[in-house]
Amino acid sequence: MLLSVLIGPPARKRWYPSAIVGLTFVLSVAGLVVPAFTAAAAVPIQTPNIFEPVSTPAYAVAELSWLVLAITGAIFVVVGSLLVYSIVRFRARPGDEGREPPQVYGSNQVETAWTVVPLLIVFVLFLATTRTIITVQNAEPPPDALKITVVGHQWWWEFHYPELGIITANELHTPVSDRGNRRPTVLTLHSDDVVHSFWVPRLAGKTDVIPNRDNHMWIEPMEPGTYVGQCAEFCGTQHAYMLLRVVVHPRGEFDRWVAEQRKPPVMDPRVQAGRDLFYSTACINCHRVGGTVATGTFGPDLTHLMSRETIGAGVAANTPKNLRAWIEDPDHLKPGVNMPAMKLTEDEVDKVVTYLLTLK
Ligand code: CUA
């Protein structure tokens, strides 16, 4: 519409191109909005926000982004204004037929200007970007930085705390840092299958998660809270639901979380039937429950399953109802998921769920 105003009336009324453009726009907006609402119904999902950094590397990235946005925004305004001015000022007028505007060739001044100015701009952007990358990558973490190994799986995240003896999934817990008492977290990342990408926009830039290769990154959250992230590299059917959350605790709270996670699994005699059933199914080939015969590593560690807010890598809130639906038919909540339905009877599912609900 805007275009047709600028370039004058079309030769003939043609409704279909703009109708197609409009329809495509409506569909793509619906495509973005509808999944967001369905997801919001299942889990209290926050939207990752690149404009509200709360961690040292993210501050650096945001600062650079604003600089780049300011420079490119200024270019956009200048070029856009000149374009609009030219279109309006020099548009075809009655009586112009057969006349040509003046042709300008070989102006050294003009050509030098439009070669040198962009070169300088690109050079400034290049220097600023390089400086940020080097500052973030070469930062020396203090020796007592928390170390975590991140393993990417189709389609969930595994987190190992080698120094603390903790294994968890999809929810990364770290202590908060402050200027006077720094406690950054250093992540070593690799993949168990295909290429993934670890991205929590408010904490740091993206880092690829690659099989047979260790990549490194670090975060240093300055405010307690829960920060959401996601896999940022297409990795198969459920790439979009390879979500993760980072829970940043005040110091004392983090120590309590560590102490809880290091405890052996709860052994509640009231759920003996469910426990026996769980350990007699193929569940234990894929899942681990610390200190038991369940030692599988294909799926998430379940030792403290109920300490997590979500199941299925963020696909649903970790409620008894959702947990039951998940065990009954994981594919229903997360189509394409690698966890099979175990074909248990209603009663058996109830028993297994009752047992799992005790794994606090
Ligand atoms: Cu993992 Cu996309």
Side-chain angles (χ1 to χ4, degrees), residues 152-157 193-197 209 230-236 238-242:
H153 296 267
Q154 284 176 315
W155 294 276
W156 61 284
W157 300 95
D193 36 51
V194 299
V195 178
H196 305 272
S197 177
V209 182
Q230 62 206 55
C231 178
E233 181 81 42
F234 181 71
C235 55
Q238 284 296 334
H239 155 72
Y241 271 130
M242 188 166 164

Side-chain angles (χ1 to χ4, degrees), residues 149-150 157-161 166-172 198:
T149 304
V150 176
W157 300 95
E158 182 178 356
F159 303 120
H160 288 256
Y161 296 65
I166 295 172
I167 306 174
T168 179
N170 303 321
E171 292 175 16
L172 186 77
F198 184 95

Side-chain angles (χ1 to χ4, degrees), residues 120-186:
L120 286 177
I121 295 172
V122 171
F123 191 62
V124 167
L125 292 177
F126 169 77
L127 282 186
T129 310
T130 314
R131 186 166 161 266
T132 305
I133 294 175
I134 291 175
T135 330
V136 170
Q137 287 194 345
N138 289 2
E140 268 301 318
D144 65 340
L146 179 66
K147 290 172 194 67
I148 299 177
T149 304
V150 176
V151 188
H153 296 267
Q154 284 176 315
W155 294 276
W156 61 284
W157 300 95
E158 182 178 356
F159 303 120
H160 288 256
Y161 296 65
E163 290 164 345
L164 301 172
I166 295 172
I167 306 174
T168 179
N170 303 321
E171 292 175 16
L172 186 77
H173 291 250
T174 63
V176 74
S177 208
D178 63 64
R179 301 259 172 253
N181 188 0
R182 295 188 58 196
R183 192 79 207 278
T185 300
V186 178

Side-chain angles (χ1 to χ4, degrees), residues 75-140:
I75 296 172
F76 175 78
V77 169
V78 170
V79 173
S81 315
L82 288 174
L83 187 63
V84 170
Y85 172 78
S86 309
I87 290 170
V88 175
R89 173 78 179 73
F90 302 107
R91 72 184 189 281
R93 289 190 171 80
D96 276 353
E97 289 81 18
R99 280 204 300 150
E100 269 200 20
Q103 306 293 305
V104 182
Y105 295 106
S107 162
N108 284 342
Q109 279 159 319
V110 172
E111 284 171 18
T112 311
W114 72 43
T115 308
V116 172
V117 174
L119 262 182
L120 286 177
I121 295 172
V122 171
F123 191 62
V124 167
L125 292 177
F126 169 77
L127 282 186
T129 310
T130 314
R131 186 166 161 266
T132 305
I133 294 175
I134 291 175
T135 330
V136 170
Q137 287 194 345
N138 289 2
E140 268 301 318

Side-chain angles (χ1 to χ4, degrees), residues 220-286:
E220 188 180 18
M222 296 301 201
E223 287 170 31
T226 301
Y227 305 106
V228 291
Q230 62 206 55
C231 178
E233 181 81 42
F234 181 71
C235 55
T237 322
Q238 284 296 334
H239 155 72
Y241 271 130
M242 188 166 164
L243 305 174
L244 73 126
R245 20 184 77 218
V246 177
V247 185
V248 178
H249 299 275
R251 297 301 169 86
E253 200 180 289
F254 178 71
D255 294 340
R256 279 196 293 283
W257 179 82
V258 168
E260 281 297 319
Q261 294 290 313
R262 294 180 63 154
K263 282 185 187 161
V266 172
M267 282 297 214
D268 187 337
R270 287 170 297 180
V271 294
Q272 186 66 39
R275 186 160 50 234
D276 290 346
L277 186 60
F278 178 80
Y279 289 99
S280 69
T281 64
C283 304
I284 59 171
N285 294 345
C286 293

